[in-house]
Amino acid sequence: MQTNLKGKNFITTQEWTVDELETVFALAKELKLARATGRVTPLLAGKTLYMIFFDSSTRTRNSFETGMTQLGGHAIYLSPDKMQISHGENAKDTASVLSRFGDGIAIRHCAFGEGNAYLREVARWSRVPVINMQCDIYHPCQILADYFTIREKFGDTTRGLKLGMAWTSAPNYVRPISVPQSVILMMPRFGIDVTLAYPPEFRLMPEIEAQARANAAAAGARFEIVHEFEEAFRDADVVIPKSWGPLLHTQDRGEALALIEKYPSWRCEAKHMALAKPHALYMHPLPADRGREVTDEVIDGPHSVVYDEAENRLHVQKALMALTM
Ligand code: CP
């Protein structure tokens, strides 16, 4: 356990040790029990979090805002069109001013090739910690919640569990690659064997796949990339079938949507869950494109833990904020 996390940015789990991440999970468990028993936890009384959303959100905005309320602090929802960012104010000026007022800055900025760079620039000038609420490369808060959920279901020893991260066809919009990238980076560090499945046009950033391979080797876990949907499910303890855009292949929206349409059979159905272990978890960060990337039978079925997973966003983020702000 590490107790010196005040002021530490959370932009990617790669910059946090396993020990530091374990501290987040320990506190998240305590805060979840506190909420269940009605115990108040004013750990951030008098503190303010600025939340800048360049992109839309249901879970992230509401879990951070509610989390700050439950910790006795205050969260302010900001969007660039209502800020001077819309008139060109740069990251340095925004970060320098907000961080003199408040205690944390959280940002969602998913534009490919821009989001993470913006977060890094804010972090460079901010006096207070910067939290990544999803960028073009990482969605670290989602993966904290995912791993916390896996621990709740399987216990604290996750070594040897098999997780399938599979691309799915959801042609209603082009989603970022930040969720699968964060999954393959973090899960092997906790001993989980990861199979990543995608059609050839949907590859992830080569440096992230290389980091995932290195993380797995260092932890004695397995990481493999396959191009058959079913392979992600075979004998799995956990599956995360989820869509993302062919962003390494094309930046053109029309071409991207056509490519997503090209693989309609990459859809999670009961027959796929039957390939996994009987106790396997079906996970999805939501929003899911019901009917296109997953059937109602699966997402509403006995394997699904998607609402536990969403709830855990609240608990892990409260822990993260209480430790860093
Ligand atoms: N999973 C997730 O980040 O959901 P939102 O896009 O609704 O915040």
Side-chain angles (χ1 to χ4, degrees):
M1 186 169 290
Q2 295 297 324
T3 53
N4 58 340
L5 299 171
K6 289 285 175 211
K8 187 171 173 70
N9 296 321
F10 186 65
I11 294 177
T12 164
T13 55
Q14 282 296 103
E15 292 162 358
W16 283 53
T17 64
V18 166
D19 238 19
E20 290 169 339
L21 295 169
E22 288 287 5
T23 311
V24 176
F25 298 129
L27 182 57
K29 193 170 178 177
E30 194 179 316
L31 290 171
K32 188 169 183 176
L33 281 172
R35 174 150 174 78
T37 53
R39 188 157 42 96
V40 293
T41 52
L43 302 177
L44 295 179
K47 297 202 172 179
T48 300
L49 174 73
Y50 300 104
M51 306 182 301
I52 307 176
F53 279 92
F54 287 75
D55 303 281
S56 56
S57 166
T58 295
R59 279 142 291 272
T60 304
R61 185 231 168 130
N62 290 291
S63 53
F64 268 102
E65 193 162 334
T66 306
M68 276 303 285
T69 303
Q70 291 174 4
L71 292 170
H74 180 56
I76 297 180
Y77 174 81
L78 299 165
S79 61
D81 61 309
K82 301 288 188 300
M83 299 173 73
Q84 298 299 4
I85 293 172
S86 62
H87 292 140
E89 185 161 51
N90 70 12
K92 178 187 177 191
D93 295 348
T94 303
S96 301
V97 174
L98 289 183
S99 69
R100 287 180 181 224
F101 295 156
D103 305 281
I105 300 175
I107 303 170
R108 167 170 283 193
H109 191 339
C110 299
F112 193 63
E114 296 174 26
N116 189 262
Y118 184 82
L119 261 85
R120 296 281 182 199
E121 188 63 5
V122 170
R124 182 176 167 213
W125 298 106
S126 175
R127 293 178 171 186
V128 299
V130 171
I131 296 176
N132 186 352
M133 297 195 296
Q134 188 175 21
C135 68
D136 50 332
I137 303 177
Y138 310 109
H139 195 352
C141 293
Q142 182 64 53
I143 272 46
L144 289 185
D146 289 3
Y147 183 68
F148 188 72
T149 307
I150 292 169
R151 286 263 278 255
E152 284 184 332
K153 307 298 179 188
F154 288 104
D156 286 348
T157 307
T158 53
R159 177 163 297 280
L161 290 178
K162 183 175 184 300
L163 184 150
M165 176 80 238
W167 179 85
T168 55
S169 178
N172 55 346
Y173 69 98
V174 180
R175 291 159 173 80
I177 57 177
S178 49
V179 167
Q181 295 203 144
S182 296
V183 167
I184 65 169
L185 284 175
M186 198 181 95
M187 297 303 179
R189 295 176 70 198
F190 289 88
I192 298 179
D193 297 327
V194 173
T195 298
L196 171 66
Y198 55 71
E201 300 92 338
F202 292 84
R203 67 188 185 275
L204 302 178
M205 293 167 66
E207 58 270 40
I208 298 291
E209 292 184 349
Q211 279 174 355
R213 235 172 250 117
N215 286 353
R222 198 169 47 76
F223 172 64
E224 63 173 356
I225 299 174
V226 298
H227 300 294
E228 294 288 334
F229 190 56
E230 286 74 11
E231 287 309 305
F233 291 81
R234 222 174 289 287
D235 206 30
D237 298 284
V238 180
V239 292
I240 312 179
K242 192 230 172 288
S243 191
W244 63 85
L247 297 171
L248 276 290
H249 184 82
T250 179
Q251 299 290 302
D252 180 84
R253 186 176 170 276
E255 194 185 340
L257 291 174
L259 279 170
I260 296 170
E261 291 267 22
K262 186 178 157 189
Y263 299 100
S265 66
W266 288 63
R267 175 174 92 136
C268 182
E269 302 174 14
K271 68 181 182 191
H272 301 115
M273 294 307 301
L275 297 172
K277 294 203 178 103
H279 60 245
L281 307 181
Y282 166 84
M283 302 182 75
H284 192 296
L286 304 178
D289 190 352
R290 282 171 174 260
R292 299 300 294 261
E293 58 175 334
V294 60
T295 60
D296 285 346
E297 185 185 7
V298 170
I299 197 168
D300 296 325
H303 295 284
S304 178
V305 293
V306 295
Y307 302 133
D308 290 340
E309 182 183 0
E311 179 191 329
N312 282 333
R313 292 290 304 276
L314 173 72
H315 307 301
V316 295
Q317 289 162 196
K318 281 169 69 179
L320 181 67
M321 291 190 287
L323 288 164
T324 59
M325 285 174 56

